[in-house]
């Protein structure tokens, strides 16, 4: 083989390698609980993400490449979340990850993305500290498209104290990071309103009897029960109140909208109120199309967790806009683009106009969030 021939072969091989590399899919991680009590949130988030990616791929993908999702079930366990984060970064070579449903899992896992300089968008977890975990670092790779507990705690307290005029409140929160950090946020807001709860009670995941906590709340004269927990245990609270023949309102954080609260509490869940970024109501063309696409793709009428599905969908649209703007999948460039998006992104929760800055990684602002209410098996806009 002559030198000239060798050079031509080498050039051809390099061209082939480059075209093969260009055709490689863009890998995005999707991490959440698809089994267990948190599954309605995790599965709905994942399914919303898949709808967004299907739309993007149908339009030619990103940077001329298809988007490939790498899904992992973290089972709502901190240690599993940590394992998955390392696997997605080191083995799967994802350019970003969306997900994290549980605050504890997020706080345990997202440090690996921070260290690797790979963006992670929390699209369901709400603990106030989540986007502040690395705020002292020069750059922060943790973003969020869900309503933080700071927003939600204020809405819950405003609803109970200012709007409904209750002066005696009880707080029931689960023992997880989510429940206890949310309770702290709630107590701070109540203290600013000069309200001291008559009872502050804790319960564990999978508890099926809330009698002791409810009796303390009832004996304390509580006019309303404020909750921080997820669907299955929240249903036990509503059902326990019925057993005690104690009928006071429930106002709590957004998981009161979960399908496994609504279904497991039945009529006892009616009237429960909670902050919502998205209600399954096609009141805009974009929302209507999203709801119909979800129902058709997953053969359901009511989304298990509409909030999670919508926030999951929007997180991908924002990430895609940043990758396009950066014209790169490099983590530092994508982070910088997210912090300075120069085009509006029409999501189903809202239309995002510069949702993030270098110092503010919260896409959801208080004005975006509404109060929902459980009514006959659905969540409707609270009056």
């Amino acid at each position: 083989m002559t030198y000239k021939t060798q050079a031509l072969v080498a050039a051809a091989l390099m061209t082939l390698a480059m075209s093969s590399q260009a055709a490689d899919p863009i890998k995005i991680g999707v991490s959440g609980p698809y089994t267990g009590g948190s599954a309605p949130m995790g599965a709905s988030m994942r399914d919303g993400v898949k709808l967004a990616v299907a739309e993007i791929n149908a339009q030619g993908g990103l940077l001329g490449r298809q988007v490939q999702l790498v899904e992992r079930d973290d089972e709502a366990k901190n240690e599993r979340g940590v394992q998955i984060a390392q696997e997605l970064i080191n083995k799967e070579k994802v350019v970003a990850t969306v997900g994290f449903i549980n605050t504890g899992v997020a706080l345990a896992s997202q440090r690996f993305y921070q260290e690797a300089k790979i963006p992670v968008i929390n699209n369901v977890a709400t603990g106030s500290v989540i986007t502040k975990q690395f705020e002292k670092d020069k750059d922060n790779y943790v973003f969020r498209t869900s309503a933080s507990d700071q927003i939600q705690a204020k809405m819950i307290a405003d609803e109970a104290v200012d709007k409904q005029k209750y002066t005696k409140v009880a707080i029931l929160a689960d023992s997880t990071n989510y429940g206890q950090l949310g309770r702290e946020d709630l107590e701070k807001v109540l203290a600013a309103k000069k309200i001291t709860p008559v009872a502050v009670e804790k319960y564990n995941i999978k508890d099926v009897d809330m009698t002791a906590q409810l009796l303390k709340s009832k004996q304390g004269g509580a006019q309303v029960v404020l909750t921080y927990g997820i669907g299955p245990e929240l249903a036990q609270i509503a059902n326990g109140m019925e057993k005690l023949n104690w009928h006071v309102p429930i106002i709590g954080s957004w998981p009161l909208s979960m399908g496994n609260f609504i279904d497991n509490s039945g009529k006892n869940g009616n009237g429960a109120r909670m902050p919502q970024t998205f209600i399954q109501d096609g009141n805009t063309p974009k929302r209507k199309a999203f709801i119909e696409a979800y129902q058709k793709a997953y053969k359901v009428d009511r989304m298990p967790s509409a909030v999670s599905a919508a926030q999951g969908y929007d997180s991908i649209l924002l990430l895609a806009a940043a990758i396009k703007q950066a014209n790169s999948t490099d983590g530092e460039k994508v982070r910088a683009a997210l912090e300075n998006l120069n085009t509006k992104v029409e999501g189903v929760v809202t239309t995002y106009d510069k949702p993030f800055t270098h110092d503010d990684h919260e896409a959801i602002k208080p004005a975006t969030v509404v109060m929902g209410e459980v009514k006959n098996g659905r969540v409707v806009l609270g009056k």
Side-chain angles (χ1 to χ4, degrees), residues 109-121:
S109 309
Q110 59 191 18
R111 61 192 171 93
F112 297 100
Y113 293 97
Q114 180 71 13
E115 287 163 8
K117 296 186 176 179
I118 292 173
V120 57
I121 302 182

Side-chain angles (χ1 to χ4, degrees), residues 206-229:
K206 296 187 178 172
D207 278 0
V208 294
D209 185 1
M210 306 290 179
T211 307
Q213 294 94 327
L214 289 169
L215 274 173
K216 283 185 186 172
S217 305
K218 184 182 180 184
Q219 287 160 1
Q223 301 159 312
V224 60
V225 171
L226 310 182
T227 62
Y228 248 94

Side-chain angles (χ1 to χ4, degrees), residues 177-376:
N177 286 67
Y178 168 67
Q180 293 307 302
L181 290 170
R183 171 193 55 74
E184 285 176 20
D185 283 337
L186 196 47
E187 287 192 275
K188 278 181 205 162
V189 181
L190 288 168
K193 296 179 185 293
K194 299 187 167 40
I195 299 285
T196 303
V198 297
V200 178
E201 295 296 312
K202 184 158 68 172
Y203 58 87
N204 296 316
I205 296 295
K206 296 187 178 172
D207 278 0
V208 294
D209 185 1
M210 306 290 179
T211 307
Q213 294 94 327
L214 289 169
L215 274 173
K216 283 185 186 172
S217 305
K218 184 182 180 184
Q219 287 160 1
Q223 301 159 312
V224 60
V225 171
L226 310 182
T227 62
Y228 248 94
I230 62 168
E233 291 77 36
L234 296 173
Q236 297 298 343
I237 292 172
N239 295 339
M241 290 166 73
E242 176 63 26
K243 281 180 200 163
L244 292 175
N245 197 28
W246 183 43
H247 302 118
V248 300
I250 299 174
I251 305 171
S253 57
W254 78 271
L256 282 165
S257 65
M258 286 172 67
N260 57 8
F261 167 74
I262 295 170
D263 293 339
N264 294 347
S265 63
K267 65 178 178 57
N268 301 330
N270 275 340
R273 293 170 80 88
M274 76 304 287
Q276 298 282 273
T277 57
F278 180 85
I279 289 172
Q280 190 177 328
D281 170 13
N283 59 353
T284 69
K286 180 88 174 175
R287 288 180 172 185
K288 188 170 185 289
F290 169 70
I291 292 164
E292 287 173 357
Y294 191 102
Q295 289 170 325
K296 184 180 176 185
Y298 306 113
K299 312 266 187 302
V300 295
D301 175 35
R302 189 194 69 205
M303 298 177 187
S305 174
V307 165
S308 305
Q311 291 167 180
Y313 179 88
D314 284 6
S315 67
I316 290 290
L317 299 189
L318 289 168
L319 183 58
I323 290 170
K324 276 187 196 168
Q325 182 174 312
N327 197 30
S328 170
T329 57
D330 174 75
E332 292 186 65
K333 290 177 181 174
V334 174
R335 173 198 53 75
L338 279 168
E339 291 174 345
N340 188 31
L341 284 174
N342 55 26
T343 54
K344 289 183 182 179
V345 176
E346 187 189 358
V348 290
V349 169
T350 189
T351 295
Y352 303 88
D353 185 5
K354 297 202 179 300
F356 305 115
T357 66
H358 183 270
D359 300 318
D360 180 3
H361 282 195
E362 302 281 357
I364 301 299
K365 312 304 187 221
T368 309
V369 192
V370 297
M371 193 61 76
E373 181 178 328
V374 176
K375 189 173 182 182
N376 302 324

